[in-house]
Amino acid sequence: MAQHTPLLFMLLICTLSVSTSFQPALVLEMATILLENYCFPENLVGMQEAIEQAINSGEILQISDRKTLASVLTVGVQGALNDPRLTVSYEPNFVPVMPPALPSLPIEQLIWLVRNSVKLDILENNVGYLRIDRVIGQETTAKLGSLLRDNIWDKVAQTSSLILDLRYSTAGELSGVPFIISFFSDPEPVIHIDTVYDRPSNSTTELWTMPSIMGERYGKKKDVIILTSKRTVGAAEAVAYTLKNLKRAITVGERTAGGSLNVQKIRIPQSEFYITVPVARSVSPITGHSWEVSGVSPTVNTNTKDAVTKAKSLLAIRSAIPKVMQKISDIIRRYYAFTDRVPVLIQHLQSTDIFSVVSEEDLAVRLNQDLQTVSEDPRLVIRYMKDNAAIVEEDPALDDVPDDLEYLKVLVDEMIKVEILQHNTGYLRFDKFVKLSAGSKLEELMAKKVWEPLKDTNNLIIDLRYNAGGSSTSLALILSYLQDTSQKRNFFTIYDKIQNTTKEYDSLPQIIGPSYGSKRGVYVLTSYDTASAGEEFAYLIQSLHRGTVIGEITSGTLMHSKTFQIEGTDIAITVPFINFLDNNGECWLGGGVVPDAIVLAEEAVEHVHEIAAFHQGLEVLIEETGELVEKHYAIHEVALKVSKVLSSKRAEGLYWPVVDFESLASQLSADLQESSGDHRLHVFHCDVEPESLHDVPKIPTAEEVGYIVDALFKIELLSGNIGYLRFDMMADIEVVKAIGPQLIKLVWSKIINTDALIIDMRYNTGGYSTAIPLLCTYFFDAKPLRHLYTVFDRTTNNMTEVMTLPQIRGQRYGPSKDVYILTSHMTGSAAEVFTRSMKDLNRATIIGEPTIGGSLSSGTYQIGDSVLYASIPNQVVLSAITGKVWSISGVEPHVIAQASDALPVAQRIIAARLLQKEQGK
C-alpha cells in the first residue's frame, strides 16, 4: 500500500490558497473519477478520506478563477501521483468528438485509409522499406484480409532485410500489435508480449504471438531496423519496445513520445472541468516495465531526417558481418598456434550474439572480448583500426645478417657494449638479438668482444633496457655461455603453426670462447621498452633460475604474431602463430616480465651492486638455517631432509630471485614448510631481537584472581541441564593452582551437576600445556591413572609420558556423563593436546572444524648474526593410543561442522541421544 498518498493529497488541498469561492464537491468528484478510472488504483489508497478530512478541518480555501483552479489541481494531482498524464482543465465550450471505429467504415474507405497510412518500397540490395503511420487493429486486418497479405506482407517477406519506419505513426490499435510481432517471430513457441490492465472494467488481458498468420512470416534471422521519432506514439511504441527487447530489431532515431494505451478526457460532474486520465496500462512480461510515459529509447540515436540513411548504413555493416566472421574463423583455423583451442573458438564465433552490433568498432570489441575469454590468450586480439591504420610487422629476413666480416664488426660495435664496472662486475649491453648460430663468424666476434673480456668478472650485468627484440633463435647460444658446458639442458621450445614444426633449443655442447658458467651471479636489467625477444630472454633467466631480473616490468609486446586486415573493413585480427614454451613445457603468453626487484630503469645498475652484495652472504644464511633446523626441529629425520632441500634449491639457483631479507624470509618459509609438511616452521624478519614466546608466567595476586576468572571462563546452563564452558586460553599450572579455590567456586561448582557438558575450544589458540593433565583428570576416575599423551622434546631428547593425576581439588565430573568439545581452525597448541587426549581416550565427542596443527613449544633462533629468525617447533605430541605424531596435522573432529554451527549441532546430538536413552528404557 502507498501510505504516502493521503499526505500528498492533503498537501494538494492545502495548496488551494486563493481566497473567494471554491466548491469542495469538485475535488471529491475528481477523486471519485480517479478511483473508478485511474489505471494505478493501488496508488490511490486513502485519497478520498484524506480529502474529506482536509475539507472538514477547514484547510480548503476558495479559488475564484476557474482556470487558476484547474492549473493548481493539475500541479497537485501530478505531484501526488507522479504521473504527467493527469491534467485538469476548465473548458466551458468543450464538445467531445468521437471518431468512428475503423471496422465500421465502408470497405472503400478502409482501403483508402490503409493506402494512405502504409507505404512499401524495395530499395537497393533487396532492402525492404515499410512505413506504417497507423497500426491497424485485428478487426480491420481481418476485414481487409488478402488485400494486406498480397500487397504488403507477402512482398515484405521476400526482402533480404527491412527498415520498418514508425517515425510518423501517431495512431493505431493495440490489437494489431500481436500480428506485427508474430510476423517477425517463429510460430512456436508462442511468446507472451504484453499484459494490459483496464481500470474501468477491472480486467487484465494478455497479448501473445500468434501460432498462425495469413501469409508468409519474415522469421527471426533477417535484419530489421525500426525507425522512431518524438512523434511515434501508442501502439507503434508497443511494437518498437517489444521487438527491441525480444532482440529482434534494432531501433534507430529518437526516443518516442511515451504515450499511453488509453487516455480519456472525463467531465467532472456538475461542472465545466475535465480531467484527463490514463485508464489502461501496459506491462511487458519481457522486461517487467513499460514504454508508457518514458517512451522507447533507440539503440542508435540520430536525427529523424537522417534515420533512413543511418539505417541503410547499419544494414550494410550488418550484412557484412557473416563474411567478417567467416574470414576471422579462416584466419584462426589457419594460423593460431594453439591448435587444440581452434574448434572451440570457431564454435564460439558461430554462436556469438551479434544482435546489438551496430558498427564495425562495436563488432571488433564484442569479438575481442569473446575470443579473449574463451582462448585465455592475450596475444589473440581483434582491433578496430580507424582509417585503415598501417600494420607494421617485423620481417624475419631483417634478422638475417650477411656473413661479411667488416659488416659484422660494425654490427657488433653498434649492438653490443662491454665494460668492467666497480667490484669487478661485468657489464654487457644488448640492444637487439640478431640471428646468431654456433661456429659462425658472428659468434667468433662475440667471443672475442664479449666473453673473453668478461670471463674473470665476479658477476655479470646483462642490460636489456634498450632491447626491443630481434631473433629468438640466438637466445640458446647466449644462454649456453651462462651454463656449464658439461651439462646439457633444454632452454625452450618453439612451435610454428605456419611451418607446422616444433624445435627444441638446448644448451650447446661446444661454444667458441670461455663459458661464464652457472655459479656466478647474472643480473638482467629491464625497462618498459624491453620487448619481444628481449622479454623472452628475461623470462628465461627467471624460468631457468639462472639470474636475477632487476628494473621495470617489460612492455608486454605481443610476439610471433601476424596481423591481418579484414578486407573491406577497419577490423584487424592479430594471431600468434608461434608458441614459445619454456624449459618446464609452459607456454608463455607474454604480458610482460615482472622483475624480481622492481626499480626505476635508470637506477637499476645501482641496485645490482646492492643485491649482488646481499647474494654474497646468501649461501651462509641458507646453510645456517638448515643447521638450526637439524639441531632443533623435533623430528630429526625430517630436519635432515629439510636441510638437504635448502642446499639443493640454492645450488639449482632457486634463490636468485631473492633480493633482500624480507624476500629471503618468505622464500625460506615456503621451502621449509613445503619440504617438511609443517606449517609451523617459518622464518621471519625482525630488526630487533624478538621476545621469548614463553616467558615464566606471572602468578596473580589475590586482587587479580577474580578478574582473571571472569576474563578467561564463560559458563552457562543450557536447556536440558546441559553445561556450557568456554575458555579461550590455556593457563599455566601455577596460575591454575593460584586461582584454584575461586575457579572451583565460581565456575566448576556451577556445572559439576549437569547431565552433559559442552567445552567450547573454538577460540582457544593455546597457551601453556602444564595444566592439561589437571584438566583431563576431572573427567576420569582416580584409578587407574590414564596415559594421556607422550611428548618428545628435541632440546633434551627426552620422551615424557603424561598421565592423569591421582588427586585434585574439588569434585570430579566423572567418566560416565557425556562431554562434547567444540573446535575450529583457530584451535591450536595446548588446546589441541587437551582435545586430542580426550578424543583418544574416547572421553569426548569432538564437533566442529579440524584444528590448526599447532606446536606445544617452538624455539626462536637467530640465523647467524642477521636480522632473520627461525621459529622451529622443538616438541611433538604422540598419541597415547597409536604412538604416532599427530600434532602437525591437528585434530580431526568426530562430527565435521562449520565453527559457527558447532554449538547448535552439539545441542541436536545431545537431544537425540537423550531421546534414544529414554526410548531404550
Side-chain angles (χ1 to χ4, degrees):
M1 269 187 194
Q3 299 295 333
H4 63 281
T5 305
L7 296 175
L8 291 172
F9 266 86
M10 289 179 71
L11 179 62
L12 159 66
I13 301 303
C14 292
T15 60
L16 310 181
S17 54
V18 179
S19 57
T20 61
S21 96
F22 168 70
Q23 296 293 336
L26 180 69
V27 178
L28 291 175
E29 292 289 357
M30 182 182 73
T32 300
I33 292 172
L34 289 172
L35 286 169
E36 294 176 351
N37 294 277
Y38 184 49
C39 62
F40 290 99
E42 63 271 17
N43 291 348
L44 302 173
V45 175
M47 178 189 67
Q48 193 161 4
E49 293 80 357
I51 292 174
E52 291 175 352
Q53 182 180 351
I55 293 173
N56 294 335
S57 66
E59 293 176 350
I60 298 180
L61 302 177
Q62 309 271 333
I63 295 180
S64 59
D65 183 80
R66 298 296 186 262
K67 289 189 177 181
T68 301
L69 176 59
S71 297
V72 171
L73 288 173
T74 296
V75 171
V77 75
Q78 287 183 357
L81 296 174
N82 193 28
D83 193 334
R85 298 172 295 177
L86 293 165
T87 59
V88 179
S89 61
Y90 175 68
E91 302 180 61
N93 300 316
F94 176 73
V95 178
V97 178
M98 291 295 293
L102 287 186
S104 65
L105 294 176
I107 190 70
E108 293 80 7
Q109 284 187 304
L110 285 177
I111 294 173
W112 178 87
L113 182 66
V114 169
R115 285 176 176 170
N116 282 275
S117 59
V118 180
K119 177 184 177 182
L120 173 63
D121 282 332
I122 307 299
L123 309 179
E124 188 179 359
N125 298 321
N126 197 31
V127 175
Y129 172 83
L130 177 61
R131 171 174 164 176
I132 299 178
D133 295 348
R134 182 187 189 99
V135 176
I136 300 169
Q138 187 176 0
E139 292 184 43
T140 305
T141 301
K143 194 169 183 179
L144 293 177
S146 60
L147 180 69
L148 290 172
R149 180 193 64 201
D150 297 341
N151 292 285
I152 298 174
W153 296 112
D154 279 0
K155 291 182 178 179
V156 170
Q158 303 307 312
T159 59
S160 302
S161 56
L162 178 66
I163 299 173
L164 178 57
D165 192 347
L166 302 179
R167 290 175 296 172
Y168 312 100
S169 187
T170 57
E173 298 172 70
L174 193 65
S175 64
V177 172
F179 172 82
I180 297 177
I181 305 301
S182 299
F183 182 69
F184 296 107
S185 306
D186 291 336
E188 296 291 343
V190 292
I191 305 168
H192 184 191
I193 59 175
D194 208 346
T195 298
V196 177
Y197 171 70
D198 182 78
R199 175 57 184 153
S201 63
N202 195 29
S203 62
T204 300
T205 304
E206 292 184 350
L207 301 183
W208 293 74
T209 55
M210 305 159 66
S212 62
I213 61 173
M214 284 192 306
E216 186 179 347
R217 293 176 186 257
Y218 203 69
K220 292 177 62 177
K221 293 184 178 179
K222 293 184 283 188
D223 282 330
V224 177
I225 308 292
I226 297 178
L227 309 185
T228 60
S229 74
K230 297 174 183 177
R231 299 172 60 190
T232 307
V233 71
E237 292 183 279
V239 170
Y241 186 83
T242 303
L243 288 175
K244 176 187 175 182
N245 287 290
L246 283 174
K247 294 188 175 182
R248 183 59 194 92
I250 295 173
T251 51
V252 175
E254 301 169 333
R255 181 183 288 272
T256 62
S260 298
L261 287 178
N262 190 354
V263 176
Q264 294 184 6
K265 192 170 186 176
I266 303 173
R267 182 181 178 185
I268 301 176
Q270 311 302 319
S271 76
E272 294 175 316
F273 287 87
Y274 292 83
I275 181 169
T276 303
V277 182
V279 299
R281 72 189 192 209
S282 163
V283 176
S284 168
I286 303 164
T287 65
H289 301 288
S290 175
W291 48 268
E292 295 184 281
V293 182
S294 60
V296 183
S297 60
T299 309
V300 179
N301 279 286
T302 188
N303 293 327
T304 301
K305 64 179 182 179
D306 299 327
V308 173
T309 302
K310 187 68 176 177
K312 290 179 180 178
S313 172
L314 182 53
L315 286 174
I317 291 170
R318 292 187 61 80
S319 66
I321 289 176
K323 293 181 181 178
V324 172
M325 303 278 277
Q326 185 59 51
K327 182 64 176 175
I328 289 174
S329 296
D330 292 343
I331 291 170
I332 290 174
R333 189 179 289 109
R334 182 177 178 184
Y335 293 102
Y336 188 41
F338 277 122
T339 55
D340 58 326
R341 302 183 189 180
V342 169
V344 175
L345 289 171
I346 301 302
Q347 182 181 6
H348 192 79
L349 280 173
Q350 293 172 347
S351 61
T352 297
D353 180 10
I354 57 171
F355 164 75
S356 60
V357 171
V358 295
S359 66
E360 287 185 359
E361 183 175 8
D362 194 15
L363 178 62
V365 170
R366 172 68 57 83
L367 294 179
N368 187 61
Q369 288 174 342
D370 288 354
L371 291 185
Q372 293 272 301
T373 300
V374 175
S375 70
E376 298 181 341
D377 188 344
R379 306 171 301 166
L380 183 61
V381 180
I382 294 179
R383 296 186 299 257
Y384 174 72
M385 304 179 71
K386 185 64 176 172
D387 300 326
N388 292 311
I391 301 172
V392 179
E393 292 187 26
E394 283 193 16
D395 184 355
L398 294 178
D399 296 326
D400 294 324
V401 293
D403 198 23
D404 179 79
L405 186 58
E406 294 305 317
Y407 174 83
L408 293 176
K409 288 180 179 179
V410 174
L411 179 65
V412 169
D413 287 340
E414 292 178 350
M415 186 181 66
I416 299 172
K417 180 181 179 182
V418 176
E419 288 184 57
I420 306 299
L421 306 181
Q422 58 179 321
H423 310 302
N424 194 29
T425 299
Y427 174 86
L428 168 59
R429 172 173 161 178
F430 265 116
D431 289 352
K432 185 176 182 179
F433 294 111
V434 298
K435 284 188 177 179
L436 183 64
S437 57
S440 66
K441 291 181 180 179
L442 185 54
E443 191 198 359
E444 293 177 8
L445 285 174
M446 290 275 293
K448 183 177 180 181
K449 180 177 177 63
V450 176
W451 303 114
E452 188 64 36
L454 296 174
K455 66 179 181 179
D456 294 324
T457 55
N458 295 332
N459 298 293
L460 175 62
I461 295 174
I462 300 179
D463 192 347
L464 303 181
R465 291 176 293 177
Y466 314 97
N467 191 308
S471 173
S472 301
T473 59
S474 63
L475 301 184
L477 180 58
I478 298 171
L479 288 168
S480 294
Y481 280 91
L482 305 178
Q483 303 290 327
D484 292 329
T485 55
S486 59
Q487 297 177 346
K488 183 179 179 180
R489 188 170 189 186
N490 174 252
F491 291 146
F492 59 95
T493 302
I494 287 182
Y495 168 71
D496 189 321
K497 176 64 166 63
I498 297 176
Q499 303 296 328
N500 194 27
T501 58
T502 300
K503 184 174 181 181
E504 294 186 354
Y505 290 85
D506 302 324
S507 56
L508 303 177
Q510 292 183 342
I511 55 176
I512 299 174
S515 166
Y516 200 74
S518 63
K519 305 301 182 185
R520 288 174 284 181
V522 173
Y523 300 91
V524 176
L525 310 186
T526 60
S527 73
Y528 297 128
D529 297 322
T530 307
S532 189
E535 294 180 276
E536 288 176 330
F537 186 85
Y539 173 80
L540 288 170
I541 286 292
Q542 291 181 325
S543 176
L544 294 164
H545 310 301
R546 182 53 195 95
T548 309
V549 180
I550 302 170
E552 298 166 342
I553 299 173
T554 61
S555 69
T557 302
L558 298 175
M559 298 163 295
H560 309 306
S561 301
K562 282 186 174 294
T563 300
F564 302 89
Q565 187 87 36
I566 306 302
E567 185 178 356
T569 73
D570 290 329
I571 297 174
I573 178 171
T574 300
V575 183
F577 64 93
I578 282 180
N579 276 344
F580 184 91
L581 290 80
D582 65 19
N583 55 301
N584 298 310
E586 297 290 333
C587 182
W588 186 44
L589 302 180
V593 176
V594 179
D596 301 305
I598 300 178
V599 300
L600 292 175
E602 56 267 27
E603 299 174 0
V605 175
E606 299 172 19
H607 283 276
V608 167
H609 295 304
E610 297 174 6
I611 294 171
F614 175 76
H615 282 169
Q616 284 183 352
L618 201 57
E619 181 177 354
V620 173
L621 290 174
I622 295 171
E623 288 179 354
E624 289 177 338
T625 303
E627 290 170 0
L628 287 174
V629 173
E630 287 186 37
K631 183 177 180 181
H632 299 288
Y633 187 61
I635 307 174
H636 187 56
E637 58 271 22
V638 173
L640 293 175
K641 172 189 171 185
V642 169
S643 182
K644 289 180 180 179
V645 167
L646 293 183
S647 297
S648 174
K649 288 198 171 191
R650 184 201 59 77
E652 292 171 9
L654 294 173
Y655 279 83
W656 285 121
V658 170
V659 295
D660 52 28
F661 285 111
E662 288 84 354
S663 58
L664 176 57
S666 176
Q667 187 62 53
L668 282 172
S669 294
D671 291 340
L672 289 172
Q673 292 173 13
E674 180 186 8
S675 56
S676 67
D678 190 342
H679 64 275
R680 306 167 303 172
L681 192 58
H682 68 279
V683 173
F684 60 94
H685 171 269
C686 190
D687 291 324
V688 295
E689 184 175 354
E691 296 180 2
S692 172
L693 297 177
H694 292 289
D695 293 330
V696 177
K698 179 179 178 294
I699 305 303
T701 63
E703 293 77 13
E704 294 172 332
V705 168
Y707 170 78
I708 291 175
V709 171
D710 289 339
L712 290 184
F713 298 93
K714 297 176 179 60
I715 58 171
E716 190 176 347
L717 287 179
L718 306 177
S719 60
N721 195 31
I722 307 302
Y724 172 84
L725 170 63
R726 168 179 166 180
F727 56 103
D728 299 344
M729 190 186 81
M730 304 294 285
D732 180 72
I733 186 62
E734 297 303 323
V735 175
V736 173
K737 288 179 180 178
I739 65 175
Q742 288 84 349
L743 194 58
I744 294 294
K745 178 181 178 181
L746 299 175
V747 177
W748 192 241
S749 63
K750 295 180 180 180
I751 57 176
I752 186 65
N753 294 316
T754 54
D755 295 329
L757 178 62
I758 297 173
I759 302 176
D760 193 345
M761 308 289 279
R762 290 175 294 176
Y763 314 99
N764 195 320
T765 57
Y768 296 89
S769 62
T770 50
I772 294 175
L774 176 62
L775 180 57
C776 289
T777 299
Y778 278 91
F779 299 99
F780 296 94
D781 287 334
K783 293 181 179 180
L785 298 181
R786 305 298 298 271
H787 179 197
L788 298 173
Y789 55 91
T790 299
V791 176
F792 172 70
D793 191 328
R794 181 63 190 284
T795 59
T796 62
N797 282 327
N798 288 334
M799 290 278 241
T800 304
E801 289 188 352
V802 180
M803 312 290 291
T804 54
L805 305 178
Q807 293 181 344
I808 55 172
R809 183 192 299 270
Q811 184 180 348
R812 296 173 185 258
Y813 199 73
S816 58
K817 293 188 286 186
D818 288 344
V819 177
Y820 302 85
I821 300 177
L822 310 184
T823 61
S824 76
H825 64 279
M826 296 170 57
T827 307
S829 188
E832 292 179 282
V833 177
F834 167 74
T835 302
R836 178 60 187 249
S837 299
M838 294 288 281
K839 179 185 179 184
D840 278 350
L841 297 175
N842 295 319
R843 187 59 194 91
T845 300
I846 316 302
I847 301 171
E849 299 169 342
T851 62
I852 193 171
S855 175
L856 276 185
S857 175
S858 289
T860 300
Y861 309 95
Q862 186 176 12
I863 301 175
D865 58 357
S866 73
V867 293
L868 296 182
Y869 295 83
S871 177
I872 303 175
N874 48 35
Q875 289 183 348
V876 288
V877 184
L878 289 76
S879 167
I881 304 302
T882 66
K884 294 182 179 180
V885 174
W886 60 263
S887 52
I888 296 176
S889 58
V891 181
E892 188 77 11
H894 293 104
V895 180
I896 300 291
Q898 293 286 335
S900 56
D901 299 329
L903 180 57
V905 168
Q907 290 176 294
R908 288 196 295 270
I909 292 175
I910 292 170
R913 287 181 177 176
L914 289 175
L915 179 62
Q916 188 177 20
K917 287 180 181 179
E918 291 177 2
Q919 292 175 345
K921 290 180 179 178

